[in-house]
Amino acid sequence: FKNPNYTPGHDVMVHLFEWTWSDIAVECERFLGPKGYAGVQVSPVQENVVVPKRPWWERYQTISYQWTTRSGNETQFRDMVTRCNKAGVRIYVDVIINHMSANPENLLKERKTASGTGNSTADLGARNYSAVPYNNSDFHAPCSIDNWNDPFQVRNCELVGLHDLDQKEEYVRGKIVEFLNKIIDAGVAGIRVDAAKHIWPGDLSVIYSRLHNLSIDHDFLPETRPYIYQEVIDMGSEVISKHEYNSLGAVTEFRYGLEVTSGIRGEKSLKWFKNIGEEWGLLADKDALIFIDNHDTQRHPGVLTHKEPRLYKVAVAFMLAHPYGKPRIMSSFSFENSDQGPPADSLGNLLSPLGENNNTNGCADGWICEHRWRQIVNMVEFRNVAAKEPICEWWDNWNNQIAFSRGSRAFVAINADQLNLNRRIKTCLPEGVYCDVISGNLEGKSCTGKKLVIDADGFANVNITMGEEDYVVAVHINVSF
Ligand code: LM2
Ligand code: CA
């Protein structure tokens, strides 16, 4: 369950948060495939309760396992998966199997009967979800999680009031497995397990063991297991550990983005980051899904996001340049308050980020599209080109100027000090003239950015002036000219 099943030579996933299936299909064909993205994490496919004002988090309140949400219906979902696979881009679905919705008084004020994005109804107060169907006996008795160091509470009580399914019950397991297998059969390559920490590892193990292999009708090799990455937030301060889950599948490594952010913010010298990974107490390389921010953390103060683009681009560049983990890029919509839902019209239909003519430059209507920023998408190619090559010739100034190569294929330098960087640095790359992919692009034989000349001994004159908007230089063997 730890192999992401990417097409060879691809290594970076993007979370297209709240995009519609039809927009994702177009993005796969026009942008993600051609640019070498490996996969897309899509928002939940399962039907959710319609919450007044349509906050983004309504999608984490399931009402049924039908595939109808604001992102689209079942036909559109299947079409997206087929088209993305054809473009060499895999699909990963965010699945909610810990819980259903919360009580109606939290959600709907006076109304008692809830309705969903696919018009299913449910008596939430009675825990009667007739479109599954689940009834009261399929849930743990209500209690709230007061003590996060009590594994029983964390697994059997209600996370922010969400009705907690009892995955020990055979009927519940059966419903979850049936839901997941239908997704796998549609041709997806894996799943993100929402709130995995709140489910007993033993129950997850049984559920995973019953999952189908990936679909050979979608050209996966026989006997290929789905990629499973489990959302377990473990910052080291609670008794429940990521290590209870990493034998079952991959795990989201929340400490990675936090550490890189403290480096980029100057709280921890970048020279230490050479060996960020298992030696830092992070998960083993093969177990770790890494990211700078995600859809939850980007709503919390202090977290580095698109709202601080200068620092954010450097954090992402480091993540993609350094060999550790399986990276995921966040692609957001803009928001003023943390509940605000995605861009939609007055009827609640999602707006398209693609804009007129499905253009692939800007991004329309309140969507951010970090994944299209030159400094980010060009580093996706850097990572693909660097492949599995180890770090070669790490250099630092004992502080926040660092540089390293990835085998003889790629080289990066970062100047996060309040000093100019102007220095001959040893690389492991062949002699040549290279086009810096941060400041520009190589277009045919002309480079729109800085040039980096590497001499016969492998040395390059690296110049990054303090205060530059982008204080990174990055090159690889596909941009020598
Ligand atoms: C996750 N990971 O474990 C998701 O990444 C996260 O986004 C989900 O929370 C959470 N698990 C449950 O699936 C989000 C959001 C919450 C929101 C819930 C449920 O972060 O704020 O809770 O979805 O929609 C909201 C209200 C909360 C209220 C709750 C129940 O914010 O105040 O609690 O609904 O009505 C009384
Ligand atoms: Ca639970």
Side-chain angles (χ1 to χ4, degrees), residues 157-172:
C157 292
E158 295 181 335
L159 169 65
V160 295
L162 299 162
H163 299 157
D164 202 58
L165 285 164
D166 180 0
Q167 294 88 359
K168 289 225 164 8
E169 211 199 291
E170 184 50 39
Y171 176 78
V172 172

Side-chain angles (χ1 to χ4, degrees), residues 98 155 164 198:
N98 174 62
R155 270 70 176 252
D164 202 58
H198 300 274

Side-chain angles (χ1 to χ4, degrees), residues 235-255:
M235 301 301 198
S237 59
E238 290 163 27
V239 298
I240 296 180
S241 139
K242 56 198 177 191
H243 296 291
E244 292 177 48
Y245 293 86
N246 74 335
S247 59
L248 307 176
V251 176
T252 52
E253 179 48 273
F254 276 76
R255 259 189 65 205

